[in-house]
Structure formats: structure tokens, C-alpha cells
Amino acid sequence: MEQRHWPRSHDELSKSPIQVRVGTIEGLFNPMDPTPLDERSLNIEVADWIEEWAEDFDKDHELTVEVYVADANLGGRQDAIVNGLHNHFEYRAWQSGRQLSKLMREGRISLLIGVCALTGFNLLSKAIRSSTNPMVEIIHEGLSVLGWVSMWKPLEIFLFDWWPIRRERRACRRLAEANVTFPAVAPR
């Protein structure tokens, strides 16, 4: 896939459709996938290129994908190509949704474990109480720190990890319904 003419600024990006340039139609799709064209998965580089570009658009921006084929040999396969693109991103949206569900389940389990650990370590810390003995004081403070460290994973999941997956799912859902065009001549 050629990537010679990409947008250089956010303004340039938001004014143009998503542009994909390939040598042949087969360059759009995974060459190892033996399924029919409209069911075939996209070439990973092409799919990532389209998805990353789509993630940068505002959510109310209508998505259009322009496919430029160097050999201009579409052979009447435009509908199969459009269906293939839509099917691919519909499946990726489903995968992202599933990944998000798994992450949230892991977050809930981690939160339960973290709260139990926090409670247990803080109870042990309070049972030891402060002491003039430096070793007991280290254990006392260490248990308190361990309790809060056990909350790291659930906080990481619920505060940070889910945003990129949600953004990917939203972009894929939009791409599953995007307009796909096949301009005759690639702009230079």
C-alpha cells in the first residue's frame, strides 16, 4: 500500500476523505485469506491505515473512504470490495466490543481483589500499630503501602485502559457504514 500523500495537519485531515492507494485490488485484502472477496479480511496495513485515520475525525463527520487502484482494474468488483470493507470493520467493532467487555470484567475482578487486599493489609497494619521498634514500623508502613498498591490494576483499567478500545470500537462502527468510492484518477 502506498502512503505517499497523507494529511499533514488536522485541518487538512478533516477536509479530505480517507484515501487508500493500492497497486491492485488484491492489495486491499489479506492474501492468505481464501474466502470470497466480500468476506475476506483486509490487509492489516490497509485496515490500520483506514482505522487510524477514522479515529482522528470528529464523531459527527461522515466518513468516506476513497480507494485508488494503480492498475485501475476493478473488474466490476466494487460492490464486493465495499461489502468486504464493511464486513471487516463490522467484525473489528465486534472484536473491540468483546475486548472492552473482557477488560471491564477483569477490572471488576481486580477491584474486588484490590478492595479485599486493601482491607486486609490495612487491618494487619492497624493490628501491628506504630512502635518504637524500627522493624515493626517498616512492616506497619509496608502493609499500608501494599494495600494501596493492590488497587493499582483496577484503577489503571477504570481510569485509562478502556478509552483506546472504546475509540477503536467507535471508529470501526463508523467505518462499517462508511461511503466507499473508487475515483478514477488519484489526486497529486
Side-chain angles (χ1 to χ4, degrees), residues 121-134:
F121 287 131
N122 280 338
L123 287 174
L124 281 173
S125 177
K126 290 196 187 310
I128 291 175
R129 303 204 187 250
S130 293
S131 171
T132 56
N133 183 342

Side-chain angles (χ1 to χ4, degrees), residues 13 45 50 53-54 58 77 88 137 144 152 178 187:
L13 170 79
E45 289 179 1
I50 294 171
W53 200 335
D58 296 329
R77 298 181 287 179
H88 177 84
E137 189 62 31
S144 183
W152 183 278

Side-chain angles (χ1 to χ4, degrees), residues 4-188:
R4 290 185 284 193
H5 305 286
W6 54 85
R8 287 167 180 75
S9 69
H10 187 70
D11 291 335
E12 189 177 328
L13 170 79
S14 63
K15 292 178 184 172
S16 65
I18 299 170
Q19 298 174 354
V20 179
R21 291 177 178 81
V22 291
T24 65
I25 287 300
E26 287 72 27
L28 277 173
F29 296 96
N30 181 348
M32 300 302 290
D33 192 346
T35 57
L37 198 61
D38 61 342
E39 297 174 12
R40 205 178 284 181
S41 60
L42 290 182
N43 178 325
I44 291 172
E45 289 179 1
V46 172
D48 288 345
W49 171 259
I50 294 171
E51 187 180 317
E52 286 174 19
W53 200 335
E55 286 179 4
D56 287 337
F57 281 115
D58 296 329
K59 59 183 166 185
D60 59 339
H61 187 277
E62 185 176 335
L63 296 182
T64 300
V65 178
E66 289 182 348
V67 179
Y68 295 96
V69 182
D71 71 0
N73 183 14
L74 296 173
R77 298 181 287 179
Q78 290 92 329
D79 288 341
I81 294 165
V82 170
N83 290 337
L85 279 165
H86 288 167
N87 289 340
H88 177 84
F89 286 110
E90 187 176 320
Y91 178 68
R92 272 183 71 161
W94 176 82
Q95 281 181 316
S96 296
R98 186 154 165 72
Q99 183 181 3
L100 187 59
S101 294
K102 285 180 177 180
L103 182 68
M104 289 299 162
R105 182 175 43 244
E106 179 184 338
R108 289 187 300 271
I109 292 168
S110 297
L111 182 62
L112 179 64
I113 293 168
V115 167
C116 290
L118 177 63
T119 303
F121 287 131
N122 280 338
L123 287 174
L124 281 173
S125 177
K126 290 196 187 310
I128 291 175
R129 303 204 187 250
S130 293
S131 171
T132 56
N133 183 342
M135 196 61 175
V136 172
E137 189 62 31
I138 289 172
I139 293 171
H140 170 73
E141 292 299 321
L143 289 171
S144 183
V145 169
L146 274 175
W148 288 107
V149 168
S150 66
M151 293 297 293
W152 183 278
K153 183 70 174 175
L155 289 173
E156 181 181 15
I157 289 171
F158 289 127
L159 293 178
F160 306 110
D161 289 352
W162 67 280
W163 285 98
I165 300 169
R166 182 172 166 249
R167 184 175 49 247
E168 178 183 348
R169 183 180 66 179
R170 184 184 304 141
C172 288
R173 282 180 177 169
R174 293 179 62 216
L175 284 165
E177 299 173 357
N179 298 320
V180 180
T181 61
F182 301 90
V185 179
R188 295 284 176 198

